[in-house]
Amino acid sequence: AQSVTQPDIHITVSEGASLELRCNYSYGATPYLFWYVQSPGQGLQLLLKYFSGDTLVQGIKGFEAEFKRSQSSFNLRKPSVHWSDAAEYFCAVGTTTGNQFYFGTGTSLTVIP
Amino acid sequence: DAGITQSPRHKVTETGTPVTLRCHQTENHRYMYWYRQDPGHGLRLIHYSYGVKDTDKGEVSDGYSVSRSKTEDFLLTLESATSSQTSVYFCAISSSGGTDTQYFGPGTRLTVL
């Protein structure tokens, strides 16, 4: 069965520090992978996506993610976090069968000055 | 931003009453989805549609029904609302299903007393 695991429920980082949010997926076929960000009271916004090709993908707001098939991971990174990055982050996998998406439970990011 | 609206944005209702939430899109996307978001659970798929009058169940479909009579509208109905259906409901659209980006609406906060 398809599933997405985000092991970190909550992460706190200092402004200017680097960030890595973990995501592991379980899916038998080629995964279509996404990272979304949700600010309080808002809907989800796409940060980046991986479909094929280069395993390091760049997204908006200075985020990047690396797909590692051997580890079934798609971790999100940012070299220097800004206070405005405080939000909830969701990893998702899209499926070709059934055309559904499966989301992780999210990681809440707090940025301290 | 993708043209997705949800109505109402907030609703308080009583146990046992029927409730209908509406999702409207102006993007002409084929796929439409209803999710609920609850703390600790991330986003869980309720139902989705892959065309006019074509719908399928998601992970948490019990107690919910949907209808799609036009490309642009996707309705979610709670036949007899229960307190366990208190949640934030998000509509999403996608052009090509699980292999494409989802765009999310702003959400509807539903409280069932």
Side-chain angles (χ1 to χ4, degrees), chain B residues 57-87:
Chain B
K57 295 179 179 181
E59 177 188 2
V60 290
S61 60
D62 287 348
Y64 302 94
S65 62
V66 292
S67 65
R68 190 172 179 196
S69 60
K70 298 184 290 185
T71 298
E72 57 266 35
D73 289 325
F74 192 33
L75 304 181
L76 176 70
T77 298
L78 291 65
E79 303 289 348
S80 177
T82 68
S83 59
S84 65
Q85 294 175 312
T86 292
S87 186

Tab-separated table of all heavy atoms in Angstrom, chain B residues 57-87:
chain	number	residue	atom	x	y	z
B	57	LYS	N	-14.233	6.594	-4.241
B	57	LYS	CA	-14.023	6.781	-2.819
B	57	LYS	C	-12.547	6.904	-2.497
B	57	LYS	O	-11.688	6.323	-3.169
B	57	LYS	CB	-14.597	5.593	-2.050
B	57	LYS	CG	-16.096	5.455	-2.160
B	57	LYS	CD	-16.580	4.239	-1.387
B	57	LYS	CE	-18.088	4.104	-1.482
B	57	LYS	NZ	-18.581	2.930	-0.723
B	58	GLY	N	-12.288	7.639	-1.422
B	58	GLY	CA	-10.950	7.726	-0.894
B	58	GLY	C	-10.825	6.963	0.404
B	58	GLY	O	-11.627	6.080	0.722
B	59	GLU	N	-9.838	7.326	1.159
B	59	GLU	CA	-9.490	6.623	2.403
B	59	GLU	C	-10.547	6.731	3.496
B	59	GLU	O	-10.760	5.802	4.264
B	59	GLU	CB	-8.155	7.196	2.902
B	59	GLU	CG	-7.664	6.651	4.214
B	59	GLU	CD	-6.443	7.412	4.710
B	59	GLU	OE1	-6.024	8.384	4.019
B	59	GLU	OE2	-5.921	7.061	5.774
B	60	VAL	N	-11.250	7.889	3.562
B	60	VAL	CA	-12.170	8.144	4.664
B	60	VAL	C	-13.526	8.575	4.143
B	60	VAL	O	-14.042	9.631	4.482
B	60	VAL	CB	-11.587	9.186	5.647
B	60	VAL	CG1	-10.420	8.626	6.407
B	60	VAL	CG2	-11.187	10.463	4.920
B	61	SER	N	-14.138	7.755	3.324
B	61	SER	CA	-15.363	8.133	2.622
B	61	SER	C	-16.649	7.875	3.412
B	61	SER	O	-17.706	8.411	3.044
B	61	SER	CB	-15.439	7.395	1.288
B	61	SER	OG	-15.441	5.995	1.508
B	62	ASP	N	-16.588	7.090	4.473
B	62	ASP	CA	-17.814	6.772	5.211
B	62	ASP	C	-18.463	8.033	5.764
B	62	ASP	O	-17.826	8.838	6.421
B	62	ASP	CB	-17.503	5.807	6.366
B	62	ASP	CG	-17.209	4.410	5.876
B	62	ASP	OD1	-17.465	4.133	4.683
B	62	ASP	OD2	-16.727	3.591	6.678
B	63	GLY	N	-19.766	8.175	5.513
B	63	GLY	CA	-20.512	9.325	6.004
B	63	GLY	C	-20.515	10.508	5.065
B	63	GLY	O	-21.134	11.530	5.365
B	64	TYR	N	-19.857	10.367	3.926
B	64	TYR	CA	-19.770	11.435	2.933
B	64	TYR	C	-20.247	10.941	1.563
B	64	TYR	O	-20.028	9.782	1.218
B	64	TYR	CB	-18.328	11.923	2.768
B	64	TYR	CG	-17.653	12.442	3.998
B	64	TYR	CD1	-16.863	11.597	4.786
B	64	TYR	CD2	-17.772	13.778	4.379
B	64	TYR	CE1	-16.222	12.057	5.919
B	64	TYR	CE2	-17.125	14.256	5.508
B	64	TYR	CZ	-16.358	13.397	6.267
B	64	TYR	OH	-15.716	13.867	7.386
B	65	SER	N	-20.839	11.848	0.820
B	65	SER	CA	-21.144	11.566	-0.575
B	65	SER	C	-20.742	12.777	-1.401
B	65	SER	O	-20.566	13.879	-0.868
B	65	SER	CB	-22.634	11.249	-0.773
B	65	SER	OG	-23.418	12.369	-0.411
B	66	VAL	N	-20.576	12.580	-2.702
B	66	VAL	CA	-20.154	13.663	-3.588
B	66	VAL	C	-20.974	13.627	-4.861
B	66	VAL	O	-21.580	12.602	-5.209
B	66	VAL	CB	-18.655	13.584	-3.940
B	66	VAL	CG1	-17.772	13.872	-2.729
B	66	VAL	CG2	-18.320	12.229	-4.552
B	67	SER	N	-20.963	14.754	-5.535
B	67	SER	CA	-21.583	14.809	-6.858
B	67	SER	C	-20.830	15.808	-7.712
B	67	SER	O	-20.322	16.818	-7.206
B	67	SER	CB	-23.061	15.196	-6.759
B	67	SER	OG	-23.198	16.505	-6.273
B	68	ARG	N	-20.794	15.509	-9.001
B	68	ARG	CA	-20.161	16.417	-9.950
B	68	ARG	C	-20.996	16.407	-11.229
B	68	ARG	O	-20.855	15.512	-12.061
B	68	ARG	CB	-18.719	15.999	-10.234
B	68	ARG	CG	-17.955	17.056	-11.012
B	68	ARG	CD	-16.505	16.695	-11.101
B	68	ARG	NE	-15.736	17.666	-11.859
B	68	ARG	CZ	-14.525	17.427	-12.326
B	68	ARG	NH1	-13.946	16.252	-12.107
B	68	ARG	NH2	-13.885	18.358	-13.000
B	69	SER	N	-21.840	17.388	-11.358
B	69	SER	CA	-22.715	17.496	-12.522
B	69	SER	C	-22.144	18.416	-13.592
B	69	SER	O	-22.602	18.395	-14.745
B	69	SER	CB	-24.102	17.993	-12.093
B	69	SER	OG	-23.982	19.264	-11.477
B	70	LYS	N	-21.146	19.208	-13.220
B	70	LYS	CA	-20.474	20.089	-14.167
B	70	LYS	C	-18.976	20.013	-13.906
B	70	LYS	O	-18.554	19.743	-12.783
B	70	LYS	CB	-20.940	21.543	-13.998
B	70	LYS	CG	-22.413	21.771	-14.245
B	70	LYS	CD	-22.755	23.251	-14.158
B	70	LYS	CE	-22.662	23.764	-12.748
B	70	LYS	NZ	-23.104	25.179	-12.641
B	71	THR	N	-18.197	20.280	-14.920
B	71	THR	CA	-16.746	20.229	-14.762
B	71	THR	C	-16.272	21.113	-13.621
B	71	THR	O	-15.377	20.753	-12.869
B	71	THR	CB	-16.047	20.662	-16.063
B	71	THR	OG1	-16.396	19.756	-17.110
B	71	THR	CG2	-14.538	20.694	-15.897
B	72	GLU	N	-16.895	22.272	-13.481
B	72	GLU	CA	-16.377	23.259	-12.548
B	72	GLU	C	-16.822	23.077	-11.103
B	72	GLU	O	-16.264	23.711	-10.213
B	72	GLU	CB	-16.744	24.666	-13.022
B	72	GLU	CG	-18.231	24.917	-13.210
B	72	GLU	CD	-18.678	24.666	-14.649
B	72	GLU	OE1	-18.125	23.750	-15.292
B	72	GLU	OE2	-19.597	25.385	-15.099
B	73	ASP	N	-17.805	22.236	-10.844
B	73	ASP	CA	-18.337	22.136	-9.493
B	73	ASP	C	-18.251	20.716	-8.938
B	73	ASP	O	-18.604	19.749	-9.613
B	73	ASP	CB	-19.805	22.587	-9.449
B	73	ASP	CG	-19.956	24.074	-9.636
B	73	ASP	OD1	-19.083	24.819	-9.161
B	73	ASP	OD2	-20.958	24.498	-10.250
B	74	PHE	N	-17.813	20.638	-7.673
B	74	PHE	CA	-17.697	19.354	-6.995
B	74	PHE	C	-18.265	19.554	-5.594
B	74	PHE	O	-17.743	20.352	-4.827
B	74	PHE	CB	-16.232	18.932	-6.951
B	74	PHE	CG	-15.978	17.506	-6.540
B	74	PHE	CD1	-16.871	16.490	-6.854
B	74	PHE	CD2	-14.827	17.170	-5.857
B	74	PHE	CE1	-16.618	15.172	-6.506
B	74	PHE	CE2	-14.558	15.852	-5.496
B	74	PHE	CZ	-15.450	14.855	-5.821
B	75	LEU	N	-19.355	18.853	-5.299
B	75	LEU	CA	-20.055	19.030	-4.040
B	75	LEU	C	-19.761	17.876	-3.088
B	75	LEU	O	-19.747	16.713	-3.494
B	75	LEU	CB	-21.566	19.104	-4.272
B	75	LEU	CG	-22.061	20.178	-5.239
B	75	LEU	CD1	-23.588	20.126	-5.342
B	75	LEU	CD2	-21.611	21.554	-4.805
B	76	LEU	N	-19.560	18.221	-1.844
B	76	LEU	CA	-19.364	17.236	-0.787
B	76	LEU	C	-20.537	17.347	0.178
B	76	LEU	O	-20.802	18.431	0.700
B	76	LEU	CB	-18.057	17.489	-0.043
B	76	LEU	CG	-17.769	16.580	1.154
B	76	LEU	CD1	-17.455	15.164	0.676
B	76	LEU	CD2	-16.607	17.133	1.983
B	77	THR	N	-21.212	16.235	0.422
B	77	THR	CA	-22.373	16.236	1.312
B	77	THR	C	-22.156	15.309	2.490
B	77	THR	O	-21.739	14.159	2.316
B	77	THR	CB	-23.642	15.804	0.546
B	77	THR	OG1	-23.905	16.748	-0.491
B	77	THR	CG2	-24.840	15.752	1.487
B	78	LEU	N	-22.440	15.853	3.653
B	78	LEU	CA	-22.508	15.064	4.864
B	78	LEU	C	-23.995	14.821	5.103
B	78	LEU	O	-24.734	15.756	5.407
B	78	LEU	CB	-21.896	15.797	6.044
B	78	LEU	CG	-20.384	16.011	6.059
B	78	LEU	CD1	-19.900	16.911	4.927
B	78	LEU	CD2	-19.948	16.572	7.410
B	79	GLU	N	-24.434	13.606	4.925
B	79	GLU	CA	-25.874	13.308	4.968
B	79	GLU	C	-26.470	13.610	6.328
B	79	GLU	O	-27.574	14.125	6.451
B	79	GLU	CB	-26.121	11.862	4.590
B	79	GLU	CG	-25.585	11.461	3.219
B	79	GLU	CD	-26.379	12.084	2.062
B	79	GLU	OE1	-27.472	12.642	2.317
B	79	GLU	OE2	-25.889	12.011	0.918
B	80	SER	N	-25.722	13.257	7.370
B	80	SER	CA	-26.160	13.478	8.751
B	80	SER	C	-24.899	13.733	9.573
B	80	SER	O	-24.221	12.797	9.983
B	80	SER	CB	-26.916	12.255	9.272
B	80	SER	OG	-27.289	12.425	10.619
B	81	ALA	N	-24.597	14.996	9.758
B	81	ALA	CA	-23.305	15.365	10.331
B	81	ALA	C	-23.130	14.818	11.754
B	81	ALA	O	-24.077	14.775	12.552
B	81	ALA	CB	-23.170	16.880	10.346
B	82	THR	N	-21.911	14.408	12.044
B	82	THR	CA	-21.536	13.942	13.385
B	82	THR	C	-20.357	14.767	13.886
B	82	THR	O	-19.626	15.379	13.096
B	82	THR	CB	-21.150	12.459	13.380
B	82	THR	OG1	-19.923	12.310	12.650
B	82	THR	CG2	-22.220	11.597	12.741
B	83	SER	N	-20.149	14.739	15.183
B	83	SER	CA	-19.064	15.535	15.766
B	83	SER	C	-17.695	15.104	15.236
B	83	SER	O	-16.765	15.911	15.172
B	83	SER	CB	-19.095	15.446	17.287
B	83	SER	OG	-18.972	14.098	17.715
B	84	SER	N	-17.578	13.840	14.836
B	84	SER	CA	-16.302	13.350	14.305
B	84	SER	C	-15.991	13.936	12.932
B	84	SER	O	-14.863	13.771	12.425
B	84	SER	CB	-16.311	11.822	14.223
B	84	SER	OG	-17.284	11.382	13.283
B	85	GLN	N	-16.964	14.586	12.332
B	85	GLN	CA	-16.737	15.229	11.045
B	85	GLN	C	-16.351	16.699	11.190
B	85	GLN	O	-16.177	17.401	10.186
B	85	GLN	CB	-17.973	15.067	10.157
B	85	GLN	CG	-18.209	13.616	9.776
B	85	GLN	CD	-19.485	13.406	8.987
B	85	GLN	OE1	-20.565	13.904	9.364
B	85	GLN	NE2	-19.403	12.659	7.893
B	86	THR	N	-16.203	17.152	12.410
B	86	THR	CA	-15.620	18.478	12.633
B	86	THR	C	-14.187	18.457	12.113
B	86	THR	O	-13.373	17.622	12.519
B	86	THR	CB	-15.628	18.825	14.122
B	86	THR	OG1	-16.969	19.001	14.550
B	86	THR	CG2	-14.842	20.101	14.384
B	87	SER	N	-13.894	19.351	11.180
B	87	SER	CA	-12.596	19.300	10.512
B	87	SER	C	-12.462	20.514	9.606
B	87	SER	O	-13.378	21.337	9.477
B	87	SER	CB	-12.493	18.015	9.677
B	87	SER	OG	-11.199	17.858	9.135
